[in-house]
Amino acid sequence: MTAASGGAQTAGRPTRLPRSARRKQLLAAAQEVFVAQGYHAAAMDDIAERAGVSKPVLYQHFPGKLELYLALLDTHCEAIVAKVQAAMRATPDNKERVRGAVTAYFDFVDHESEAFRLVFASDLRNEPAVRERVERVEKGCIAALTDTIISDTGVNRAHAELLASGLVGAAETAAQFWLANGRQIPKQEAESLLTALLWRGIASFPLQGDPTP
């Protein structure tokens, strides 16, 4: 039984886990294998072995390798969008909202670097179903920022979406660069630098009702 299996054994047999717990266990094992080997080199045999289960058990939950990979992506894609949405709801202070969006991406790459690589650095990005999910992350984060920009500044949706896409793109690219370059500066300092840059730009758009041009 490998560490990924996470189940006790009774009389030489693995304990039967509830379906939801088994699924979570299999996804964790799959993530380890996909990150270590890449999608194309990974095999269902490797994932089953890492999870400490038989291949038939793995296939009971996921009909194939692609479905397993997509299930992983869905989990992580939903998480990053939820983080950005939460940052928008957490405070009425717009500078702190910008900081929250930046922090959401840096937290993702820092605490969930394996998940970040699966979503944004996959060797399967040309697969339509994978590309659709990555685009869904970007669209979900952009939508969260767009609604906030519209409500606060009164700019039209097309302008707000473009501004939001710039904020999301900068946060994603900077966080990925920070991770790829070995976290050369402390995370909090990196977040503050990027927040200062982005806030200087977005703050030039006055709040609704603000007479400042």
Side-chain angles (χ1 to χ4, degrees):
M1 176 81 66
T2 66
S5 65
Q9 287 191 332
T10 303
R13 293 185 177 183
T15 301
R16 185 177 180 84
L17 294 176
R19 185 173 181 82
S20 60
R22 179 67 76 193
R23 179 183 172 87
K24 185 176 180 180
Q25 172 206 9
L26 296 174
L27 287 172
Q31 179 166 308
E32 293 176 8
V33 174
F34 284 135
V35 170
Q37 300 181 21
Y39 176 83
H40 294 292
M44 293 292 271
D45 284 324
D46 300 328
I47 295 167
E49 182 178 355
R50 182 68 61 92
V53 302
S54 66
K55 224 160 75 163
V57 169
L58 180 57
Y59 279 111
Q60 285 173 9
H61 292 263
F62 303 100
K65 187 169 71 166
L66 179 59
E67 289 78 10
L68 177 51
Y69 192 85
L70 293 177
L72 260 179
L73 286 187
D74 285 337
T75 299
H76 296 309
C77 289
E78 291 166 5
I80 184 61
V81 173
K83 285 177 182 291
V84 173
Q85 291 171 337
M88 295 303 100
R89 295 192 300 264
T91 174
D93 185 312
N94 285 321
K95 185 175 182 179
E96 289 307 308
R97 283 171 166 167
V98 172
R99 183 184 299 277
V102 169
T103 298
Y105 275 92
F106 275 85
D107 279 349
F108 191 49
V109 304
D110 189 36
H111 304 310
E112 303 177 63
S113 57
E114 289 187 352
F116 183 86
R117 292 186 177 99
L118 281 174
V119 176
F120 294 109
S122 169
D123 61 346
L124 201 63
R125 285 289 292 267
N126 290 329
E127 164 63 41
V130 173
R131 187 168 61 248
E132 185 273 332
R133 281 160 172 80
V134 174
E135 290 173 354
R136 193 193 310 162
V137 171
E138 294 170 348
K139 289 177 180 177
C141 294
I142 288 170
L145 290 169
T146 295
D147 291 340
T148 300
I149 291 170
I150 289 174
S151 65
D152 284 347
T153 68
V155 300
N156 65 44
R157 179 162 292 276
H159 288 178
E161 285 177 339
L162 184 60
L163 291 170
S165 71
L167 289 170
V168 168
E172 177 188 326
T173 300
Q176 188 167 3
F177 179 86
W178 177 77
L179 177 66
N181 285 272
R183 301 176 171 91
Q184 291 182 342
I185 62 176
K187 174 174 170 287
Q188 190 170 10
E189 184 179 345
E191 293 168 356
S192 294
L193 284 170
L194 189 60
T195 298
L197 173 66
L198 296 176
W199 177 244
R200 283 180 181 272
I202 198 68
S204 67
F205 293 86
L207 296 177
Q208 289 202 76
D210 186 342
T212 303

